[in-house]
PDB file of all heavy atoms in Angstrom:
ATOM      1  N   LEU A 842     -11.196  11.285  36.249  1.00  0.00           N
ATOM      2  CA  LEU A 842     -11.704  12.632  36.002  1.00  0.00           C
ATOM      3  C   LEU A 842     -13.217  12.624  35.846  1.00  0.00           C
ATOM      4  O   LEU A 842     -13.908  13.536  36.326  1.00  0.00           O
ATOM      5  CB  LEU A 842     -11.050  13.230  34.757  1.00  0.00           C
ATOM      6  CG  LEU A 842      -9.541  13.485  34.813  1.00  0.00           C
ATOM      7  CD1 LEU A 842      -9.086  14.172  33.528  1.00  0.00           C
ATOM      8  CD2 LEU A 842      -9.147  14.315  36.025  1.00  0.00           C
ATOM      9  N   SER A 843     -13.767  11.626  35.170  1.00  0.00           N
ATOM     10  CA  SER A 843     -15.209  11.610  34.924  1.00  0.00           C
ATOM     11  C   SER A 843     -15.992  11.277  36.190  1.00  0.00           C
ATOM     12  O   SER A 843     -17.147  11.694  36.330  1.00  0.00           O
ATOM     13  CB  SER A 843     -15.554  10.605  33.822  1.00  0.00           C
ATOM     14  OG  SER A 843     -15.225   9.291  34.213  1.00  0.00           O
ATOM     15  N   GLU A 844     -15.377  10.576  37.127  1.00  0.00           N
ATOM     16  CA  GLU A 844     -16.104  10.119  38.307  1.00  0.00           C
ATOM     17  C   GLU A 844     -15.855  10.968  39.545  1.00  0.00           C
ATOM     18  O   GLU A 844     -16.656  10.931  40.489  1.00  0.00           O
ATOM     19  CB  GLU A 844     -15.730   8.662  38.601  1.00  0.00           C
ATOM     20  CG  GLU A 844     -16.149   7.690  37.499  1.00  0.00           C
ATOM     21  CD  GLU A 844     -15.541   6.307  37.674  1.00  0.00           C
ATOM     22  OE1 GLU A 844     -14.904   6.081  38.729  1.00  0.00           O
ATOM     23  OE2 GLU A 844     -15.703   5.472  36.768  1.00  0.00           O
ATOM     24  N   CYS A 845     -14.754  11.727  39.573  1.00  0.00           N
ATOM     25  CA  CYS A 845     -14.344  12.366  40.827  1.00  0.00           C
ATOM     26  C   CYS A 845     -14.290  13.885  40.785  1.00  0.00           C
ATOM     27  O   CYS A 845     -13.879  14.519  41.763  1.00  0.00           O
ATOM     28  CB  CYS A 845     -12.994  11.808  41.280  1.00  0.00           C
ATOM     29  SG  CYS A 845     -12.998  10.013  41.477  1.00  0.00           S
ATOM     30  N   GLY A 846     -14.627  14.505  39.667  1.00  0.00           N
ATOM     31  CA  GLY A 846     -14.854  15.935  39.631  1.00  0.00           C
ATOM     32  C   GLY A 846     -13.667  16.836  39.881  1.00  0.00           C
ATOM     33  O   GLY A 846     -12.534  16.524  39.506  1.00  0.00           O
ATOM     34  N   GLU A 847     -13.962  17.978  40.543  1.00  0.00           N
ATOM     35  CA  GLU A 847     -12.967  19.038  40.708  1.00  0.00           C
ATOM     36  C   GLU A 847     -11.732  18.566  41.447  1.00  0.00           C
ATOM     37  O   GLU A 847     -10.601  18.876  41.048  1.00  0.00           O
ATOM     38  CB  GLU A 847     -13.595  20.216  41.444  1.00  0.00           C
ATOM     39  CG  GLU A 847     -12.642  21.382  41.653  1.00  0.00           C
ATOM     40  CD  GLU A 847     -13.279  22.522  42.421  1.00  0.00           C
ATOM     41  OE1 GLU A 847     -13.336  22.430  43.667  1.00  0.00           O
ATOM     42  OE2 GLU A 847     -13.726  23.496  41.775  1.00  0.00           O
ATOM     43  N   ASN A 848     -11.917  17.808  42.535  1.00  0.00           N
ATOM     44  CA  ASN A 848     -10.764  17.341  43.305  1.00  0.00           C
ATOM     45  C   ASN A 848      -9.803  16.542  42.429  1.00  0.00           C
ATOM     46  O   ASN A 848      -8.583  16.664  42.543  1.00  0.00           O
ATOM     47  CB  ASN A 848     -11.219  16.483  44.484  1.00  0.00           C
ATOM     48  CG  ASN A 848     -11.870  17.297  45.578  1.00  0.00           C
ATOM     49  OD1 ASN A 848     -11.954  18.522  45.477  1.00  0.00           O
ATOM     50  ND2 ASN A 848     -12.344  16.634  46.630  1.00  0.00           N
ATOM     51  N   ALA A 849     -10.369  15.696  41.558  1.00  0.00           N
ATOM     52  CA  ALA A 849      -9.531  14.877  40.680  1.00  0.00           C
ATOM     53  C   ALA A 849      -8.775  15.742  39.691  1.00  0.00           C
ATOM     54  O   ALA A 849      -7.585  15.511  39.428  1.00  0.00           O
ATOM     55  CB  ALA A 849     -10.380  13.849  39.944  1.00  0.00           C
ATOM     56  N   HIS A 850      -9.428  16.733  39.126  1.00  0.00           N
ATOM     57  CA  HIS A 850      -8.769  17.609  38.155  1.00  0.00           C
ATOM     58  C   HIS A 850      -7.594  18.350  38.805  1.00  0.00           C
ATOM     59  O   HIS A 850      -6.526  18.495  38.192  1.00  0.00           O
ATOM     60  CB  HIS A 850      -9.769  18.609  37.575  1.00  0.00           C
ATOM     61  CG  HIS A 850     -10.693  18.022  36.557  1.00  0.00           C
ATOM     62  ND1 HIS A 850     -11.730  17.170  36.887  1.00  0.00           N
ATOM     63  CD2 HIS A 850     -10.757  18.154  35.202  1.00  0.00           C
ATOM     64  CE1 HIS A 850     -12.380  16.807  35.796  1.00  0.00           C
ATOM     65  NE2 HIS A 850     -11.813  17.400  34.754  1.00  0.00           N
ATOM     66  N   ILE A 851      -7.781  18.810  40.027  1.00  0.00           N
ATOM     67  CA  ILE A 851      -6.705  19.531  40.714  1.00  0.00           C
ATOM     68  C   ILE A 851      -5.568  18.588  41.059  1.00  0.00           C
ATOM     69  O   ILE A 851      -4.389  18.887  40.812  1.00  0.00           O
ATOM     70  CB  ILE A 851      -7.257  20.224  41.974  1.00  0.00           C
ATOM     71  CG1 ILE A 851      -8.224  21.342  41.568  1.00  0.00           C
ATOM     72  CG2 ILE A 851      -6.126  20.767  42.838  1.00  0.00           C
ATOM     73  CD1 ILE A 851      -8.986  21.941  42.730  1.00  0.00           C
ATOM     74  N   MET A 852      -5.904  17.435  41.624  1.00  0.00           N
ATOM     75  CA  MET A 852      -4.863  16.489  42.037  1.00  0.00           C
ATOM     76  C   MET A 852      -4.055  15.979  40.849  1.00  0.00           C
ATOM     77  O   MET A 852      -2.822  15.930  40.892  1.00  0.00           O
ATOM     78  CB  MET A 852      -5.495  15.320  42.790  1.00  0.00           C
ATOM     79  CG  MET A 852      -4.482  14.320  43.345  1.00  0.00           C
ATOM     80  SD  MET A 852      -4.178  12.936  42.211  1.00  0.00           S
ATOM     81  CE  MET A 852      -5.659  11.954  42.492  1.00  0.00           C
ATOM     82  N   ARG A 853      -4.723  15.648  39.750  1.00  0.00           N
ATOM     83  CA  ARG A 853      -4.005  15.108  38.594  1.00  0.00           C
ATOM     84  C   ARG A 853      -3.144  16.177  37.927  1.00  0.00           C
ATOM     85  O   ARG A 853      -2.061  15.888  37.417  1.00  0.00           O
ATOM     86  CB  ARG A 853      -5.002  14.524  37.587  1.00  0.00           C
ATOM     87  CG  ARG A 853      -5.736  13.295  38.077  1.00  0.00           C
ATOM     88  CD  ARG A 853      -4.826  12.129  38.372  1.00  0.00           C
ATOM     89  NE  ARG A 853      -4.263  11.564  37.148  1.00  0.00           N
ATOM     90  CZ  ARG A 853      -3.420  10.533  37.125  1.00  0.00           C
ATOM     91  NH1 ARG A 853      -3.021   9.973  38.259  1.00  0.00           N
ATOM     92  NH2 ARG A 853      -2.941  10.074  35.985  1.00  0.00           N
ATOM     93  N   ALA A 854      -3.612  17.423  37.931  1.00  0.00           N
ATOM     94  CA  ALA A 854      -2.782  18.503  37.385  1.00  0.00           C
ATOM     95  C   ALA A 854      -1.529  18.695  38.220  1.00  0.00           C
ATOM     96  O   ALA A 854      -0.430  18.895  37.682  1.00  0.00           O
ATOM     97  CB  ALA A 854      -3.585  19.798  37.322  1.00  0.00           C
ATOM     98  N   ILE A 855      -1.657  18.626  39.547  1.00  0.00           N
ATOM     99  CA  ILE A 855      -0.489  18.776  40.423  1.00  0.00           C
ATOM    100  C   ILE A 855       0.506  17.649  40.175  1.00  0.00           C
ATOM    101  O   ILE A 855       1.722  17.877  40.071  1.00  0.00           O
ATOM    102  CB  ILE A 855      -0.933  18.820  41.898  1.00  0.00           C
ATOM    103  CG1 ILE A 855      -1.702  20.118  42.181  1.00  0.00           C
ATOM    104  CG2 ILE A 855       0.269  18.701  42.832  1.00  0.00           C
ATOM    105  CD1 ILE A 855      -2.356  20.167  43.550  1.00  0.00           C
ATOM    106  N   LEU A 856       0.019  16.429  40.066  1.00  0.00           N
ATOM    107  CA  LEU A 856       0.917  15.302  39.792  1.00  0.00           C
ATOM    108  C   LEU A 856       1.633  15.480  38.455  1.00  0.00           C
ATOM    109  O   LEU A 856       2.857  15.326  38.355  1.00  0.00           O
ATOM    110  CB  LEU A 856       0.133  13.990  39.791  1.00  0.00           C
ATOM    111  CG  LEU A 856      -0.303  13.434  41.151  1.00  0.00           C
ATOM    112  CD1 LEU A 856      -1.229  12.241  40.953  1.00  0.00           C
ATOM    113  CD2 LEU A 856       0.906  13.036  41.990  1.00  0.00           C
ATOM    114  N   ALA A 857       0.882  15.802  37.409  1.00  0.00           N
ATOM    115  CA  ALA A 857       1.479  15.960  36.081  1.00  0.00           C
ATOM    116  C   ALA A 857       2.531  17.060  36.079  1.00  0.00           C
ATOM    117  O   ALA A 857       3.619  16.899  35.512  1.00  0.00           O
ATOM    118  CB  ALA A 857       0.398  16.258  35.047  1.00  0.00           C
ATOM    119  N   ALA A 858       2.234  18.177  36.726  1.00  0.00           N
ATOM    120  CA  ALA A 858       3.119  19.345  36.684  1.00  0.00           C
ATOM    121  C   ALA A 858       4.356  19.194  37.540  1.00  0.00           C
ATOM    122  O   ALA A 858       5.349  19.898  37.314  1.00  0.00           O
ATOM    123  CB  ALA A 858       2.333  20.587  37.125  1.00  0.00           C
ATOM    124  N   THR A 859       4.329  18.301  38.533  1.00  0.00           N
ATOM    125  CA  THR A 859       5.485  18.154  39.421  1.00  0.00           C
ATOM    126  C   THR A 859       6.266  16.866  39.189  1.00  0.00           C
ATOM    127  O   THR A 859       7.455  16.810  39.492  1.00  0.00           O
ATOM    128  CB  THR A 859       5.041  18.218  40.897  1.00  0.00           C
ATOM    129  OG1 THR A 859       4.082  17.184  41.160  1.00  0.00           O
ATOM    130  CG2 THR A 859       4.447  19.574  41.229  1.00  0.00           C
ATOM    131  N   LEU A 860       5.625  15.847  38.642  1.00  0.00           N
ATOM    132  CA  LEU A 860       6.349  14.614  38.330  1.00  0.00           C
ATOM    133  C   LEU A 860       7.169  14.754  37.054  1.00  0.00           C
ATOM    134  O   LEU A 860       8.272  14.224  36.950  1.00  0.00           O
ATOM    135  CB  LEU A 860       5.372  13.446  38.192  1.00  0.00           C
ATOM    136  CG  LEU A 860       4.727  12.920  39.474  1.00  0.00           C
ATOM    137  CD1 LEU A 860       3.610  11.940  39.142  1.00  0.00           C
ATOM    138  CD2 LEU A 860       5.756  12.266  40.387  1.00  0.00           C
ATOM    139  N   SER A 861       6.626  15.458  36.072  1.00  0.00           N
ATOM    140  CA  SER A 861       7.282  15.585  34.768  1.00  0.00           C
ATOM    141  C   SER A 861       7.566  17.045  34.456  1.00  0.00           C
ATOM    142  O   SER A 861       6.739  17.922  34.732  1.00  0.00           O
ATOM    143  CB  SER A 861       6.392  14.991  33.670  1.00  0.00           C
ATOM    144  OG  SER A 861       6.953  15.195  32.388  1.00  0.00           O
ATOM    145  N   ALA A 862       8.713  17.300  33.856  1.00  0.00           N
ATOM    146  CA  ALA A 862       9.044  18.671  33.446  1.00  0.00           C
ATOM    147  C   ALA A 862       8.233  19.102  32.235  1.00  0.00           C
ATOM    148  O   ALA A 862       8.061  20.298  31.990  1.00  0.00           O
ATOM    149  CB  ALA A 862      10.533  18.789  33.150  1.00  0.00           C
ATOM    150  N   ASN A 863       7.745  18.148  31.459  1.00  0.00           N
ATOM    151  CA  ASN A 863       6.858  18.434  30.330  1.00  0.00           C
ATOM    152  C   ASN A 863       5.461  17.931  30.670  1.00  0.00           C
ATOM    153  O   ASN A 863       5.294  16.757  31.029  1.00  0.00           O
ATOM    154  CB  ASN A 863       7.346  17.732  29.058  1.00  0.00           C
ATOM    155  CG  ASN A 863       8.695  18.237  28.589  1.00  0.00           C
ATOM    156  OD1 ASN A 863       8.858  19.412  28.306  1.00  0.00           O
ATOM    157  ND2 ASN A 863       9.677  17.348  28.525  1.00  0.00           N
ATOM    158  N   TYR A 864       4.479  18.817  30.588  1.00  0.00           N
ATOM    159  CA  TYR A 864       3.110  18.358  30.799  1.00  0.00           C
ATOM    160  C   TYR A 864       2.164  19.259  30.016  1.00  0.00           C
ATOM    161  O   TYR A 864       2.541  20.359  29.586  1.00  0.00           O
ATOM    162  CB  TYR A 864       2.750  18.325  32.288  1.00  0.00           C
ATOM    163  CG  TYR A 864       2.026  19.537  32.822  1.00  0.00           C
ATOM    164  CD1 TYR A 864       0.644  19.507  33.038  1.00  0.00           C
ATOM    165  CD2 TYR A 864       2.692  20.726  33.129  1.00  0.00           C
ATOM    166  CE1 TYR A 864      -0.038  20.614  33.543  1.00  0.00           C
ATOM    167  CE2 TYR A 864       2.019  21.830  33.636  1.00  0.00           C
ATOM    168  CZ  TYR A 864       0.652  21.773  33.843  1.00  0.00           C
ATOM    169  OH  TYR A 864      -0.017  22.861  34.326  1.00  0.00           O
ATOM    170  N   GLY A 865       0.928  18.777  29.829  1.00  0.00           N
ATOM    171  CA  GLY A 865      -0.046  19.571  29.106  1.00  0.00           C
ATOM    172  C   GLY A 865      -1.464  19.179  29.468  1.00  0.00           C
ATOM    173  O   GLY A 865      -1.696  18.115  30.057  1.00  0.00           O
ATOM    174  N   ILE A 866      -2.411  20.047  29.117  1.00  0.00           N
ATOM    175  CA  ILE A 866      -3.828  19.747  29.311  1.00  0.00           C
ATOM    176  C   ILE A 866      -4.590  20.115  28.048  1.00  0.00           C
ATOM    177  O   ILE A 866      -4.213  21.033  27.331  1.00  0.00           O
ATOM    178  CB  ILE A 866      -4.442  20.504  30.506  1.00  0.00           C
ATOM    179  CG1 ILE A 866      -4.325  22.028  30.325  1.00  0.00           C
ATOM    180  CG2 ILE A 866      -3.831  20.060  31.819  1.00  0.00           C
ATOM    181  CD1 ILE A 866      -5.130  22.838  31.338  1.00  0.00           C
ATOM    182  N   TYR A 867      -5.653  19.356  27.776  1.00  0.00           N
ATOM    183  CA  TYR A 867      -6.649  19.768  26.792  1.00  0.00           C
ATOM    184  C   TYR A 867      -7.527  20.755  27.547  1.00  0.00           C
ATOM    185  O   TYR A 867      -8.355  20.409  28.362  1.00  0.00           O
ATOM    186  CB  TYR A 867      -7.409  18.545  26.300  1.00  0.00           C
ATOM    187  CG  TYR A 867      -8.732  18.810  25.647  1.00  0.00           C
ATOM    188  CD1 TYR A 867      -8.925  19.890  24.787  1.00  0.00           C
ATOM    189  CD2 TYR A 867      -9.804  17.952  25.890  1.00  0.00           C
ATOM    190  CE1 TYR A 867     -10.156  20.118  24.199  1.00  0.00           C
ATOM    191  CE2 TYR A 867     -11.040  18.169  25.296  1.00  0.00           C
ATOM    192  CZ  TYR A 867     -11.211  19.261  24.461  1.00  0.00           C
ATOM    193  OH  TYR A 867     -12.437  19.477  23.878  1.00  0.00           O
ATOM    194  N   GLY A 868      -7.322  22.051  27.216  1.00  0.00           N
ATOM    195  CA  GLY A 868      -7.595  23.146  28.093  1.00  0.00           C
ATOM    196  C   GLY A 868      -8.992  23.450  28.554  1.00  0.00           C
ATOM    197  O   GLY A 868      -9.310  23.248  29.728  1.00  0.00           O
ATOM    198  N   PRO A 869      -9.866  23.965  27.708  1.00  0.00           N
ATOM    199  CA  PRO A 869     -11.133  24.491  28.239  1.00  0.00           C
ATOM    200  C   PRO A 869     -11.888  23.479  29.092  1.00  0.00           C
ATOM    201  O   PRO A 869     -12.304  23.794  30.203  1.00  0.00           O
ATOM    202  CB  PRO A 869     -11.910  24.861  26.976  1.00  0.00           C
ATOM    203  CG  PRO A 869     -10.864  25.117  25.952  1.00  0.00           C
ATOM    204  CD  PRO A 869      -9.752  24.155  26.268  1.00  0.00           C
ATOM    205  N   VAL A 870     -12.058  22.256  28.598  1.00  0.00           N
ATOM    206  CA  VAL A 870     -12.847  21.291  29.360  1.00  0.00           C
ATOM    207  C   VAL A 870     -12.183  20.956  30.688  1.00  0.00           C
ATOM    208  O   VAL A 870     -12.860  20.666  31.677  1.00  0.00           O
ATOM    209  CB  VAL A 870     -13.115  19.995  28.553  1.00  0.00           C
ATOM    210  CG1 VAL A 870     -13.868  20.306  27.284  1.00  0.00           C
ATOM    211  CG2 VAL A 870     -11.829  19.254  28.250  1.00  0.00           C
ATOM    212  N   TYR A 871     -10.839  21.005  30.717  1.00  0.00           N
ATOM    213  CA  TYR A 871     -10.143  20.651  31.962  1.00  0.00           C
ATOM    214  C   TYR A 871     -10.291  21.749  33.006  1.00  0.00           C
ATOM    215  O   TYR A 871     -10.685  21.496  34.149  1.00  0.00           O
ATOM    216  CB  TYR A 871      -8.661  20.379  31.692  1.00  0.00           C
ATOM    217  CG  TYR A 871      -8.006  19.580  32.801  1.00  0.00           C
ATOM    218  CD1 TYR A 871      -7.962  18.199  32.727  1.00  0.00           C
ATOM    219  CD2 TYR A 871      -7.461  20.197  33.923  1.00  0.00           C
ATOM    220  CE1 TYR A 871      -7.381  17.444  33.742  1.00  0.00           C
ATOM    221  CE2 TYR A 871      -6.890  19.461  34.943  1.00  0.00           C
ATOM    222  CZ  TYR A 871      -6.851  18.084  34.849  1.00  0.00           C
ATOM    223  OH  TYR A 871      -6.292  17.341  35.868  1.00  0.00           O
ATOM    224  N   GLU A 872      -9.984  22.973  32.631  1.00  0.00           N
ATOM    225  CA  GLU A 872     -10.046  24.041  33.631  1.00  0.00           C
ATOM    226  C   GLU A 872     -11.479  24.363  34.028  1.00  0.00           C
ATOM    227  O   GLU A 872     -11.731  24.855  35.133  1.00  0.00           O
ATOM    228  CB  GLU A 872      -9.327  25.288  33.140  1.00  0.00           C
ATOM    229  CG  GLU A 872      -9.875  25.894  31.872  1.00  0.00           C
ATOM    230  CD  GLU A 872      -9.148  27.172  31.485  1.00  0.00           C
ATOM    231  OE1 GLU A 872      -9.265  28.160  32.224  1.00  0.00           O
ATOM    232  OE2 GLU A 872      -8.460  27.156  30.441  1.00  0.00           O
ATOM    233  N   PHE A 873     -12.457  24.075  33.154  1.00  0.00           N
ATOM    234  CA  PHE A 873     -13.856  24.279  33.506  1.00  0.00           C
ATOM    235  C   PHE A 873     -14.463  23.050  34.190  1.00  0.00           C
ATOM    236  O   PHE A 873     -15.643  23.059  34.555  1.00  0.00           O
ATOM    237  CB  PHE A 873     -14.668  24.645  32.266  1.00  0.00           C
ATOM    238  CG  PHE A 873     -14.236  25.942  31.624  1.00  0.00           C
ATOM    239  CD1 PHE A 873     -14.347  26.143  30.264  1.00  0.00           C
ATOM    240  CD2 PHE A 873     -13.693  26.966  32.397  1.00  0.00           C
ATOM    241  CE1 PHE A 873     -13.939  27.342  29.671  1.00  0.00           C
ATOM    242  CE2 PHE A 873     -13.286  28.161  31.820  1.00  0.00           C
ATOM    243  CZ  PHE A 873     -13.401  28.354  30.460  1.00  0.00           C
ATOM    244  N   GLY A 874     -13.675  21.987  34.335  1.00  0.00           N
ATOM    245  CA  GLY A 874     -14.113  20.802  35.073  1.00  0.00           C
ATOM    246  C   GLY A 874     -15.194  19.997  34.392  1.00  0.00           C
ATOM    247  O   GLY A 874     -15.915  19.234  35.049  1.00  0.00           O
ATOM    248  N   LEU A 875     -15.323  20.108  33.070  1.00  0.00           N
ATOM    249  CA  LEU A 875     -16.331  19.326  32.350  1.00  0.00           C
ATOM    250  C   LEU A 875     -15.887  17.862  32.304  1.00  0.00           C
ATOM    251  O   LEU A 875     -14.754  17.559  31.935  1.00  0.00           O
ATOM    252  CB  LEU A 875     -16.525  19.877  30.939  1.00  0.00           C
ATOM    253  CG  LEU A 875     -16.928  21.360  30.871  1.00  0.00           C
ATOM    254  CD1 LEU A 875     -17.100  21.791  29.433  1.00  0.00           C
ATOM    255  CD2 LEU A 875     -18.196  21.612  31.665  1.00  0.00           C
ATOM    256  N   ASN A 876     -16.780  16.962  32.658  1.00  0.00           N
ATOM    257  CA  ASN A 876     -16.339  15.567  32.785  1.00  0.00           C
ATOM    258  C   ASN A 876     -17.445  14.547  32.510  1.00  0.00           C
ATOM    259  O   ASN A 876     -17.419  13.447  33.041  1.00  0.00           O
ATOM    260  CB  ASN A 876     -15.765  15.337  34.191  1.00  0.00           C
ATOM    261  CG  ASN A 876     -16.793  15.509  35.294  1.00  0.00           C
ATOM    262  OD1 ASN A 876     -17.806  16.164  35.098  1.00  0.00           O
ATOM    263  ND2 ASN A 876     -16.538  14.923  36.451  1.00  0.00           N
ATOM    264  N   GLU A 877     -18.398  14.906  31.647  1.00  0.00           N
ATOM    265  CA  GLU A 877     -19.448  13.950  31.303  1.00  0.00           C
ATOM    266  C   GLU A 877     -18.934  12.982  30.244  1.00  0.00           C
ATOM    267  O   GLU A 877     -18.585  13.384  29.127  1.00  0.00           O
ATOM    268  CB  GLU A 877     -20.691  14.674  30.783  1.00  0.00           C
ATOM    269  CG  GLU A 877     -21.846  13.723  30.483  1.00  0.00           C
ATOM    270  CD  GLU A 877     -23.054  14.434  29.900  1.00  0.00           C
ATOM    271  OE1 GLU A 877     -23.057  15.693  29.880  1.00  0.00           O
ATOM    272  OE2 GLU A 877     -23.997  13.736  29.450  1.00  0.00           O
ATOM    273  N   ALA A 878     -18.861  11.724  30.635  1.00  0.00           N
ATOM    274  CA  ALA A 878     -18.312  10.710  29.735  1.00  0.00           C
ATOM    275  C   ALA A 878     -19.375  10.199  28.774  1.00  0.00           C
ATOM    276  O   ALA A 878     -20.563  10.133  29.109  1.00  0.00           O
ATOM    277  CB  ALA A 878     -17.743   9.553  30.538  1.00  0.00           C
ATOM    278  N   HIS A 879     -18.924   9.847  27.568  1.00  0.00           N
ATOM    279  CA  HIS A 879     -19.820   9.195  26.609  1.00  0.00           C
ATOM    280  C   HIS A 879     -20.134   7.809  27.152  1.00  0.00           C
ATOM    281  O   HIS A 879     -19.235   7.106  27.617  1.00  0.00           O
ATOM    282  CB  HIS A 879     -19.144   9.101  25.246  1.00  0.00           C
ATOM    283  CG  HIS A 879     -20.097   8.891  24.122  1.00  0.00           C
ATOM    284  ND1 HIS A 879     -20.969   9.857  23.678  1.00  0.00           N
ATOM    285  CD2 HIS A 879     -20.332   7.798  23.340  1.00  0.00           C
ATOM    286  CE1 HIS A 879     -21.685   9.386  22.667  1.00  0.00           C
ATOM    287  NE2 HIS A 879     -21.323   8.140  22.460  1.00  0.00           N
TER     288      HIS A 879
END
């Protein structure tokens, strides 16, 4: 997520939502694509 930006956020959300019946996101930073790592 920190290195690959918007494409990574979309792809990982699709995987999480379709591989598992239970999934979640830490919301604002994820949907806004914030990804600056410490």
